[in-house]
Structures are given as C-alpha cells and as structure tokens.
Coordinates of all heavy atoms in Angstrom, one line a residue:
L1 N 131.0 126.4 88.2 CA 129.5 126.6 88.5 C 129.1 126.0 89.8 O 129.6 124.9 90.1 CB 128.7 126.1 87.3 CG 128.8 126.7 86.0 CD1 128.0 125.9 85.0 CD2 128.4 128.1 86.0
S2 N 128.2 126.6 90.5 CA 127.6 126.0 91.7 C 126.6 125.0 91.3 O 126.0 125.0 90.2 CB 127.0 127.1 92.6 OG 125.8 127.6 92.0
F3 N 126.2 124.1 92.2 CA 125.2 123.1 91.9 C 123.9 123.8 91.6 O 123.1 123.3 90.8 CB 125.1 122.1 93.0 CG 126.3 121.3 93.2 CD1 127.2 121.4 94.3 CD2 126.7 120.4 92.2 CE1 128.3 120.6 94.4 CE2 127.8 119.6 92.3 CZ 128.6 119.7 93.4
D4 N 123.5 124.9 92.4 CA 122.3 125.6 92.1 C 122.1 126.0 90.7 O 121.1 126.0 90.1 CB 122.1 126.7 93.1 CG 121.7 126.3 94.5 OD1 121.3 125.2 94.7 OD2 121.7 127.2 95.4
N5 N 123.2 126.5 90.1 CA 123.2 127.0 88.8 C 123.2 125.9 87.7 O 122.7 126.0 86.6 CB 124.4 127.9 88.5 CG 124.3 129.2 89.3 OD1 123.2 129.7 89.6 ND2 125.4 129.8 89.5
E6 N 123.7 124.7 88.1 CA 123.8 123.6 87.2 C 122.5 122.9 87.0 O 122.1 122.5 86.0 CB 124.8 122.6 87.6 CG 126.3 123.1 87.4 CD 127.3 122.0 87.7 OE1 126.9 120.8 87.5 OE2 128.3 122.3 88.1
L7 N 121.7 122.8 88.1 CA 120.5 122.0 88.1 C 119.3 123.0 87.8 O 119.2 124.1 88.4 CB 120.2 121.3 89.4 CG 121.2 120.2 89.8 CD1 120.8 119.7 91.2 CD2 121.3 119.2 88.8
T8 N 118.4 122.5 86.9 CA 117.2 123.3 86.6 C 116.2 123.2 87.8 O 116.4 122.2 88.6 CB 116.5 122.8 85.3 OG1 116.0 121.5 85.5 CG2 117.5 122.9 84.1
S9 N 115.2 124.0 87.8 CA 114.2 123.9 88.9 C 113.5 122.5 88.8 O 113.2 121.9 89.9 CB 113.2 125.0 88.8 OG 112.5 125.0 87.6
R10 N 113.3 122.0 87.6 CA 112.6 120.7 87.5 C 113.6 119.6 88.0 O 113.1 118.6 88.6 CB 112.2 120.4 86.1 CG 111.1 121.2 85.6 CD 109.8 120.7 86.3 NE 108.7 121.3 85.6 CZ 107.4 121.0 85.9 NH1 107.1 120.2 86.8 NH2 106.4 121.6 85.3
E11 N 114.8 119.7 87.7 CA 115.8 118.7 88.2 C 115.9 118.7 89.7 O 116.0 117.7 90.3 CB 117.2 118.9 87.5 CG 117.2 118.6 86.1 CD 118.4 119.1 85.3 OE1 119.2 120.0 85.8 OE2 118.7 118.6 84.2
V12 N 115.9 119.9 90.3 CA 115.9 120.0 91.7 C 114.7 119.4 92.3 O 114.7 118.6 93.3 CB 116.1 121.5 92.2 CG1 115.9 121.6 93.7 CG2 117.4 122.0 91.8
A13 N 113.5 119.6 91.7 CA 112.3 119.0 92.2 C 112.4 117.5 92.1 O 112.0 116.8 93.0 CB 111.1 119.5 91.3
C14 N 112.9 117.0 91.0 CA 113.1 115.5 90.8 C 114.0 115.0 91.9 O 113.7 113.9 92.5 CB 113.6 115.2 89.5 SG 112.4 115.4 88.2
L15 N 115.1 115.7 92.2 CA 116.1 115.2 93.2 C 115.4 115.2 94.6 O 115.6 114.3 95.4 CB 117.3 116.1 93.1 CG 118.5 115.6 93.9 CD1 119.0 114.2 93.5 CD2 119.7 116.6 93.8
Y16 N 114.7 116.3 94.8 CA 114.0 116.4 96.1 C 113.0 115.3 96.3 O 113.0 114.7 97.4 CB 113.2 117.8 96.1 CG 112.4 118.0 97.4 CD1 113.0 118.5 98.6 CD2 111.1 117.7 97.4 CE1 112.2 118.7 99.7 CE2 110.3 117.9 98.6 CZ 110.9 118.3 99.7 OH 110.2 118.5 100.8
L17 N 112.3 114.9 95.3 CA 111.3 113.8 95.4 C 112.0 112.5 95.5 O 111.6 111.6 96.3 CB 110.3 113.9 94.2 CG 109.4 115.0 94.2 CD1 108.6 115.2 92.9 CD2 108.4 114.9 95.4
A18 N 113.1 112.3 94.9 CA 113.9 111.1 95.0 C 114.4 111.0 96.4 O 114.4 109.9 97.0 CB 115.1 111.1 94.0
A19 N 114.9 112.1 97.0 CA 115.3 112.1 98.4 C 114.2 111.8 99.4 O 114.5 111.3 100.5 CB 115.9 113.5 98.7
N20 N 113.0 112.0 99.0 CA 111.8 111.6 99.8 C 111.2 110.3 99.4 O 110.1 110.0 99.7 CB 110.8 112.8 99.7 CG 111.2 113.9 100.5 OD1 111.0 113.9 101.7 ND2 111.8 114.9 99.9
G21 N 112.0 109.5 98.7 CA 111.6 108.1 98.4 C 110.6 107.9 97.2 O 110.1 106.8 97.1
K22 N 110.4 109.0 96.4 CA 109.4 108.8 95.3 C 110.1 108.1 94.2 O 111.2 108.4 93.8 CB 108.9 110.2 94.9 CG 108.2 111.0 96.0 CD 107.0 110.2 96.5 CE 106.3 111.0 97.6 NZ 105.3 110.2 98.3
T23 N 109.3 107.2 93.5 CA 109.8 106.5 92.3 C 109.6 107.4 91.1 O 109.0 108.5 91.2 CB 108.9 105.3 92.1 OG1 107.6 105.7 91.8 CG2 108.9 104.3 93.3
S24 N 110.1 107.0 90.0 CA 110.0 107.8 88.8 C 108.5 107.9 88.4 O 108.1 109.0 88.0 CB 110.7 107.1 87.6 OG 112.1 107.1 87.8
D25 N 107.7 106.9 88.6 CA 106.3 107.0 88.3 C 105.6 108.0 89.2 O 104.8 108.8 88.8 CB 105.6 105.6 88.5 CG 105.9 104.6 87.4 OD1 106.0 105.1 86.2 OD2 105.9 103.4 87.6
Q26 N 105.9 107.9 90.5 CA 105.3 108.8 91.5 C 105.7 110.3 91.2 O 104.9 111.2 91.2 CB 105.7 108.5 92.9 CG 105.0 107.2 93.4 CD 105.7 106.7 94.7 OE1 106.9 106.8 94.9 NE2 104.8 106.0 95.5
T27 N 107.0 110.5 90.9 CA 107.5 111.8 90.5 C 106.8 112.3 89.3 O 106.4 113.5 89.2 CB 109.0 111.8 90.4 OG1 109.6 111.4 91.6 CG2 109.5 113.1 90.0
A28 N 106.7 111.5 88.3 CA 106.0 111.9 87.0 C 104.6 112.4 87.3 O 104.1 113.4 86.8 CB 106.0 110.8 86.0
K29 N 103.9 111.6 88.1 CA 102.5 112.0 88.5 C 102.4 113.3 89.2 O 101.6 114.2 88.9 CB 101.8 110.9 89.3 CG 100.4 111.2 89.6 CD 99.8 110.0 90.4 CE 98.3 110.3 90.7 NZ 97.7 109.3 91.6
L30 N 103.3 113.5 90.2 CA 103.3 114.7 91.0 C 103.7 116.0 90.1 O 103.1 117.0 90.4 CB 104.3 114.6 92.1 CG 103.8 113.7 93.3 CD1 105.0 113.4 94.2 CD2 102.7 114.3 94.0
L31 N 104.6 115.8 89.2 CA 105.0 116.9 88.4 C 104.2 117.1 87.1 O 104.5 118.0 86.3 CB 106.5 116.8 88.1 CG 107.4 116.8 89.3 CD1 108.9 116.7 88.9 CD2 107.2 118.1 90.2
G32 N 103.4 116.1 86.8 CA 102.6 116.2 85.5 C 103.4 115.9 84.3 O 103.2 116.5 83.3
L33 N 104.4 115.1 84.4 CA 105.3 114.7 83.3 C 105.3 113.2 83.1 O 104.6 112.5 83.8 CB 106.7 115.2 83.7 CG 106.9 116.6 84.0 CD1 108.3 116.9 84.6 CD2 106.7 117.5 82.7
T34 N 105.9 112.8 82.0 CA 106.0 111.3 81.8 C 107.1 110.7 82.6 O 108.1 111.4 83.0 CB 106.2 111.0 80.3 OG1 107.5 111.5 79.9 CG2 105.2 111.7 79.4
K35 N 107.0 109.4 82.8 CA 108.1 108.6 83.5 C 109.4 108.8 82.7 O 110.5 108.9 83.3 CB 107.7 107.2 83.6 CG 108.7 106.3 84.3 CD 108.3 104.9 84.4 CE 109.3 104.0 85.0 NZ 108.9 102.6 85.1
S36 N 109.3 108.7 81.4 CA 110.5 108.9 80.5 C 111.2 110.2 80.8 O 112.5 110.2 80.9 CB 110.1 108.7 79.1 OG 111.2 108.9 78.2
T37 N 110.5 111.3 80.9 CA 111.0 112.6 81.2 C 111.7 112.6 82.5 O 112.8 113.1 82.6 CB 109.9 113.7 81.1 OG1 109.4 113.7 79.8 CG2 110.5 115.0 81.4
I38 N 111.1 112.0 83.5 CA 111.7 112.0 84.8 C 113.0 111.2 84.8 O 114.0 111.6 85.4 CB 110.7 111.3 85.9 CG1 109.4 112.2 86.0 CG2 111.4 111.2 87.2 CD1 109.7 113.7 86.3
E39 N 113.0 110.0 84.1 CA 114.2 109.2 84.0 C 115.3 110.0 83.3 O 116.5 109.9 83.7 CB 113.9 107.9 83.4 CG 113.1 107.0 84.3 CD 112.5 105.7 83.6 OE1 112.6 105.6 82.4 OE2 112.0 104.9 84.4
T40 N 115.0 110.8 82.3 CA 116.0 111.6 81.6 C 116.5 112.7 82.6 O 117.7 112.9 82.7 CB 115.4 112.3 80.4 OG1 115.0 111.3 79.5 CG2 116.3 113.3 79.8
F41 N 115.6 113.3 83.4 CA 116.1 114.3 84.4 C 117.0 113.6 85.4 O 118.1 114.2 85.7 CB 114.9 114.9 85.2 CG 114.1 115.9 84.4 CD1 112.8 116.2 84.8 CD2 114.6 116.6 83.4 CE1 112.0 117.1 84.2 CE2 113.8 117.6 82.7 CZ 112.5 117.8 83.1
R42 N 116.7 112.4 85.8 CA 117.5 111.8 86.8 C 118.9 111.4 86.3 O 119.9 111.6 86.9 CB 116.8 110.5 87.3 CG 115.7 110.8 88.2 CD 115.0 109.5 88.7 NE 114.0 109.8 89.7 CZ 113.5 108.9 90.6 NH1 113.9 107.6 90.5 NH2 112.7 109.2 91.5
K43 N 119.0 111.0 85.0 CA 120.3 110.8 84.4 C 121.1 112.1 84.3 O 122.3 112.1 84.5 CB 120.1 110.2 83.0 CG 119.6 108.8 83.0 CD 119.3 108.3 81.6 CE 118.7 106.9 81.6 NZ 118.3 106.4 80.3
R44 N 120.4 113.2 83.9 CA 121.1 114.5 83.9 C 121.6 114.9 85.2 O 122.7 115.4 85.3 CB 120.2 115.5 83.3 CG 120.0 115.4 81.8 CD 119.2 116.6 81.3 NE 118.6 116.3 80.0 CZ 117.6 116.9 79.5 NH1 117.0 117.9 80.2 NH2 117.1 116.6 78.3
I45 N 120.8 114.7 86.2 CA 121.2 115.1 87.6 C 122.5 114.3 88.0 O 123.4 114.9 88.5 CB 120.1 114.8 88.6 CG1 118.9 115.7 88.4 CG2 120.6 114.9 90.1 CD1 117.6 115.2 89.0
I46 N 122.5 113.0 87.8 CA 123.6 112.2 88.1 C 124.9 112.7 87.4 O 125.9 112.8 88.0 CB 123.3 110.7 87.8 CG1 122.2 110.2 88.8 CG2 124.6 109.8 87.9 CD1 121.6 108.9 88.3
Q47 N 124.7 113.0 86.1 CA 125.9 113.5 85.3 C 126.3 114.9 85.8 O 127.5 115.1 86.0 CB 125.5 113.6 83.8 CG 125.3 112.3 83.2 CD 124.8 112.4 81.7 OE1 124.3 113.5 81.3 NE2 125.0 111.4 80.9
K48 N 125.4 115.8 86.0 CA 125.7 117.2 86.4 C 126.4 117.2 87.8 O 127.3 118.0 88.0 CB 124.5 118.0 86.5 CG 124.0 118.4 85.1 CD 122.8 119.3 85.2 CE 122.3 119.8 83.9 NZ 121.1 120.7 84.0
L49 N 126.0 116.3 88.7 CA 126.6 116.3 90.0 C 127.8 115.3 90.1 O 128.4 115.1 91.2 CB 125.5 115.9 91.1 CG 124.4 116.8 91.3 CD1 123.4 116.3 92.4 CD2 124.8 118.2 91.6
D50 N 128.2 114.8 88.9 CA 129.3 113.9 88.8 C 129.2 112.7 89.8 O 130.1 112.5 90.6 CB 130.6 114.7 89.1 CG 131.9 113.9 88.7 OD1 131.8 113.1 87.8 OD2 132.9 114.1 89.3
C51 N 128.1 112.0 89.7 CA 127.8 110.9 90.6 C 127.7 109.6 89.8 O 127.6 109.7 88.6 CB 126.6 111.2 91.4 SG 126.7 112.6 92.6
D52 N 127.7 108.5 90.5 CA 127.5 107.2 89.9 C 126.1 106.7 89.9 O 125.7 105.9 89.1 CB 128.4 106.2 90.6 CG 129.9 106.5 90.4 OD1 130.3 107.0 89.3 OD2 130.6 106.2 91.4
N53 N 125.3 107.2 90.8 CA 123.9 106.8 90.9 C 123.1 107.8 91.6 O 123.6 108.8 92.1 CB 123.8 105.4 91.6 CG 124.5 105.5 93.0 OD1 124.1 106.3 93.8 ND2 125.4 104.6 93.2
L54 N 121.7 107.6 91.6 CA 120.8 108.6 92.2 C 121.0 108.7 93.7 O 120.9 109.8 94.2 CB 119.4 108.2 91.8 CG 118.3 109.2 92.2 CD1 118.5 110.5 91.5 CD2 116.9 108.6 91.9
T55 N 121.3 107.6 94.4 CA 121.5 107.7 95.8 C 122.7 108.7 96.1 O 122.6 109.5 97.0 CB 121.8 106.3 96.4 OG1 120.6 105.5 96.1 CG2 122.0 106.4 97.9
Q56 N 123.7 108.5 95.4 CA 124.9 109.4 95.6 C 124.6 110.8 95.2 O 125.0 111.8 96.0 CB 126.1 108.9 94.7 CG 127.4 109.6 95.0 CD 128.5 109.1 94.1 OE1 128.2 108.5 93.0 NE2 129.7 109.3 94.5
A57 N 123.8 111.0 94.2 CA 123.3 112.4 93.8 C 122.5 113.0 94.9 O 122.6 114.2 95.2 CB 122.6 112.4 92.5
V58 N 121.6 112.3 95.5 CA 120.7 112.8 96.6 C 121.6 113.2 97.8 O 121.5 114.3 98.3 CB 119.7 111.7 97.1 CG1 119.1 112.1 98.4 CG2 118.6 111.5 96.0
F59 N 122.6 112.4 98.1 CA 123.5 112.7 99.2 C 124.3 114.0 98.9 O 124.4 114.9 99.8 CB 124.5 111.5 99.5 CG 125.5 111.8 100.6 CD1 125.1 111.7 101.9 CD2 126.8 112.2 100.2 CE1 126.0 112.0 102.9 CE2 127.7 112.5 101.2 CZ 127.3 112.4 102.6
K60 N 124.8 114.1 97.7 CA 125.6 115.2 97.3 C 124.7 116.5 97.3 O 125.1 117.6 97.7 CB 126.2 115.0 95.9 CG 127.3 116.0 95.6 CD 128.1 115.5 94.4 CE 129.4 116.1 94.3 NZ 130.2 115.6 93.1
G61 N 123.4 116.3 96.8 CA 122.5 117.5 96.8 C 122.2 118.0 98.2 O 122.1 119.2 98.4
I62 N 122.1 117.1 99.1 CA 121.8 117.4 100.5 C 123.1 118.1 101.1 O 123.0 119.2 101.7 CB 121.5 116.2 101.4 CG1 120.1 115.7 101.0 CG2 121.5 116.5 102.9 CD1 119.7 114.3 101.5
K63 N 124.2 117.5 100.8 CA 125.5 118.0 101.3 C 125.8 119.5 100.9 O 126.2 120.3 101.7 CB 126.6 117.1 100.9 CG 128.0 117.5 101.5 CD 129.0 116.4 101.1 CE 130.4 116.8 101.6 NZ 131.4 115.9 101.1
V64 N 125.5 119.8 99.6 CA 125.8 121.1 99.1 C 124.7 122.1 99.3 O 124.8 123.2 99.0 CB 126.3 121.1 97.6 CG1 127.5 120.2 97.4 CG2 125.2 120.6 96.7
G65 N 123.5 121.6 99.7 CA 122.4 122.5 100.1 C 121.5 122.8 98.9 O 120.6 123.6 99.1
C66 N 121.6 122.1 97.8 CA 120.7 122.4 96.7 C 119.3 121.9 96.9 O 118.4 122.1 96.2 CB 121.2 122.0 95.3 SG 121.3 120.3 95.0
L67 N 119.1 121.1 98.0 CA 117.8 120.5 98.3 C 117.1 121.3 99.4 O 116.1 120.9 100.0 CB 117.9 119.1 98.6 CG 118.2 118.1 97.5 CD1 118.2 116.7 97.9 CD2 117.3 118.3 96.3
A68 N 117.7 122.5 99.8 CA 117.1 123.3 100.8 C 115.7 123.7 100.3 O 115.4 123.9 99.2 CB 117.9 124.5 101.1
Q69 N 114.7 123.8 101.3 CA 113.3 124.0 100.9 C 113.2 125.3 100.1 O 112.4 125.3 99.2 CB 112.5 124.2 102.2 CG 111.0 124.3 102.0 CD 110.4 123.0 101.4 OE1 110.8 121.9 101.7 NE2 109.3 123.2 100.7
K70 N 114.0 126.3 100.4 CA 113.8 127.6 99.6 C 114.2 127.4 98.2 O 113.8 128.2 97.3 CB 114.7 128.7 100.3 CG 116.2 128.4 100.2 CD 116.9 129.5 100.9 CE 118.4 129.3 100.9 NZ 119.0 129.2 99.5
R71 N 114.9 126.4 97.8 CA 115.4 126.2 96.5 C 114.3 125.5 95.6 O 114.3 125.5 94.4 CB 116.7 125.4 96.5 CG 117.3 125.0 95.1 CD 117.8 126.3 94.4 NE 118.4 125.9 93.2 CZ 117.8 125.9 92.0 NH1 116.6 126.2 91.9 NH2 118.5 125.6 91.0
I72 N 113.3 124.8 96.3 CA 112.3 124.1 95.6 C 111.2 125.0 95.2 O 110.7 125.8 96.0 CB 111.7 123.0 96.5 CG1 112.8 122.1 97.1 CG2 110.7 122.1 95.8 CD1 113.7 121.4 96.1
Y73 N 110.8 125.0 93.9 CA 109.7 125.8 93.5 C 108.4 125.1 93.8 O 108.1 124.1 93.4 CB 109.8 126.0 91.9 CG 110.9 126.8 91.5 CD1 112.2 126.4 91.6 CD2 110.7 128.1 91.1 CE1 113.3 127.2 91.2 CE2 111.7 129.0 90.7 CZ 113.0 128.5 90.8 OH 114.1 129.3 90.4
E74 N 107.6 125.8 94.7 CA 106.4 125.2 95.2 C 105.4 124.9 94.1 O 104.6 124.0 94.3 CB 105.8 126.1 96.3 CG 106.7 126.0 97.6 CD 106.1 126.7 98.8 OE1 104.8 126.9 98.8 OE2 106.8 127.0 99.7
D75 N 105.4 125.7 93.1 CA 104.5 125.5 92.0 C 104.8 124.2 91.2 O 104.0 123.8 90.3 CB 104.3 126.7 91.1 CG 105.5 127.1 90.4 OD1 106.7 126.7 90.9 OD2 105.5 127.9 89.4
S76 N 106.0 123.7 91.4 CA 106.5 122.5 90.6 C 106.0 121.2 91.3 O 105.9 120.2 90.7 CB 108.0 122.4 90.6 OG 108.4 123.5 89.8
I77 N 105.7 121.3 92.6 CA 105.3 120.1 93.4 C 104.1 120.4 94.2 O 103.9 121.4 94.8 CB 106.5 119.7 94.3 CG1 107.8 119.4 93.6 CG2 106.1 118.5 95.2 CD1 108.9 119.2 94.5
N78 N 103.2 119.4 94.1 CA 102.0 119.5 95.0 C 102.4 118.9 96.4 O 102.3 117.7 96.5 CB 100.8 118.8 94.4 CG 99.6 118.9 95.3 OD1 99.6 119.5 96.3 ND2 98.5 118.4 94.8
F79 N 102.9 119.7 97.3 CA 103.4 119.2 98.5 C 102.4 118.5 99.4 O 102.7 117.7 100.2 CB 104.1 120.4 99.3 CG 105.4 120.8 98.8 CD1 105.5 121.9 97.9 CD2 106.5 120.1 99.1 CE1 106.7 122.3 97.4 CE2 107.8 120.5 98.6 CZ 107.8 121.6 97.8
A80 N 101.1 118.8 99.1 CA 100.1 118.1 99.9 C 100.1 116.6 99.5 O 99.6 115.8 100.3 CB 98.7 118.7 99.5
D81 N 100.6 116.2 98.4 CA 100.6 114.8 98.0 C 101.8 114.0 98.5 O 101.9 112.8 98.3 CB 100.6 114.7 96.4 CG 99.3 115.1 95.8 OD1 98.3 115.1 96.6 OD2 99.3 115.5 94.6
L82 N 102.7 114.7 99.2 CA 103.9 114.0 99.6 C 103.7 113.3 100.9 O 102.9 113.6 101.7 CB 105.1 115.1 99.9 CG 105.6 115.7 98.6 CD1 106.7 116.7 99.0 CD2 106.1 114.7 97.6

C-alpha cells in the first residue's frame, strides 16, 4: 500500500500540523477534536509509517509526498489559524 492509502485524511492533517510545529493541544483545537484523539492519531501515524517517533514520521511523510498541499483536506484545518 502507498502511504496516501494508509493514512486517513485526519491522520494526514495531524501529520501536516506536526510538521508545522503544532502541539497535540493546538492540533486538537484546530481540528475540533480532543487531545487524546490527536495523540491516538499520532501513535497510529508512527506505526503506519513504520517510524520510531513523530519527527521521523514527519520526515518520511515529506519524503514520500503525503504532506503535499493537495493531499490536505482544507475543510479539516482552518488554515487561517496556522
């Protein structure tokens, strides 16, 4: 499977926000979710991308292109808040 198919749109949004330095709290607020949900998403992202930590997952996401702007669902993130 490709990385695009493995990550859900919410997981991609979480990874994108992590790549932009957002904390779990900030990401939760931007996406209208709880911090616990964001932390679960982050754990799944790390597992799905076969990484050891979020920093490595962000790098891998950039490398394989799953963080390309076209892949981010604009209705998932209020970009004005970034």
Side-chain angles (χ1 to χ4, degrees):
L1 293 173
S2 72
F3 293 113
D4 280 349
N5 291 334
E6 286 187 34
L7 296 181
T8 67
S9 61
R10 288 289 192 175
E11 289 168 343
V12 172
C14 287
L15 189 60
Y16 177 84
L17 290 168
N20 283 278
K22 299 300 181 190
T23 65
S24 292
D25 285 328
Q26 291 168 324
T27 299
K29 183 177 177 185
L30 287 167
L31 298 181
L33 301 169
T34 67
K35 180 180 177 181
S36 175
T37 299
I38 298 305
E39 289 172 350
T40 298
F41 284 158
R42 287 179 171 199
K43 287 176 187 175
R44 286 186 196 159
I45 292 164
I46 291 165
Q47 290 174 342
K48 287 181 178 184
L49 296 183
D50 192 29
C51 295
D52 296 322
N53 55 56
L54 188 60
T55 301
Q56 188 180 24
V58 166
F59 178 79
K60 198 168 197 177
I62 292 168
K63 185 176 177 183
V64 301
C66 72
L67 291 182
Q69 187 68 30
K70 66 181 177 62
R71 179 68 175 93
I72 308 298
Y73 288 75
E74 291 189 18
D75 60 343
S76 296
I77 302 172
N78 183 355
F79 285 94
D81 290 339
L82 294 179

